[in-house]
Amino acid sequence: SMRHRTRPGARREAAISPAIMPSFRPPAGSRSESAGSLLLTAFCGGRLVGNLGLDPVGPMRKVRHRASVGLAVVRDCWGQGLGTILLAEALQAARQLGYEQVELEVLAPNQRGLALYERAGFVAYGRRERAVCQKDGRYEAEILMYKTL
């Protein structure tokens, strides 16, 4: 189970499985919470295995209610629940930071990511074709998603 603290960015620890026991902490020199940004990192045995960035969509008053999130977990740690925990922590922090909506883009072939975001309550609202050009020259679409907090 997770140990919860009231402020975003506080050290967090989770027991996911005997195979992975990550600790969450903001890295030295990380983005300031006061600016509405947060960077969560997950370490397992001293190795960085995941991160999640939460940032304002923009500085203008009319979009201050919106945040954008980006999530990455190393492949050999997939299926351990790490993305679920990072995302839950970020959504809690987003609420505490005053955001009303969180948005993200996920590559269309990323079925694991799509499933994670749907489980967390995100809704797909669009598709951006040819959004990413991979190293081998293939283009991939992104699925645009949002969640109202």
Side-chain angles (χ1 to χ4, degrees):
S1 70
M2 300 253 347
R3 268 197 341 231
H4 293 282
R5 305 241 173 119
T6 55
R7 67 178 180 81
R11 183 178 174 87
R12 298 166 172 89
E13 294 182 7
I16 299 173
S17 78
I20 181 167
M21 301 270 296
S23 61
F24 300 92
R25 63 179 181 260
S30 67
R31 294 172 284 200
S32 166
E33 291 170 23
S34 62
S37 291
L38 177 71
L39 178 62
L40 294 178
T41 53
F43 291 85
C44 183
R47 174 178 163 232
L48 177 65
V49 295
N51 65 63
L52 185 146
L54 178 80
D55 292 292
V57 168
M60 298 172 8
R61 183 211 51 79
K62 63 185 177 181
V63 295
R64 280 192 200 140
H65 64 291
R66 296 167 52 206
S68 177
V69 68
L71 170 65
V73 175
V74 297
R75 186 179 303 265
D76 62 317
C77 291
W78 288 0
Q80 303 286 329
L82 187 53
T84 299
I85 290 173
L86 283 167
L87 188 57
E89 290 289 314
L91 293 173
Q92 180 182 344
R95 286 183 194 94
Q96 292 172 354
L97 290 166
Y99 291 112
E100 298 171 25
Q101 179 170 305
V102 178
E103 305 166 11
L104 59 85
E105 295 87 33
V106 58
L107 290 178
N110 183 354
Q111 293 301 311
R112 296 177 71 91
L114 283 165
L116 166 66
Y117 301 132
E118 287 171 355
R119 282 194 310 272
F122 282 81
V123 177
Y125 69 91
R127 182 180 176 99
R128 182 179 295 129
E129 296 298 334
R130 295 173 54 94
V132 173
C133 182
Q134 299 292 8
K135 289 179 188 176
D136 63 6
R138 286 180 303 109
Y139 289 95
E140 291 181 337
E142 287 178 333
I143 306 300
L144 312 177
M145 303 183 85
Y146 79 100
K147 176 181 174 70
T148 302
L149 301 177

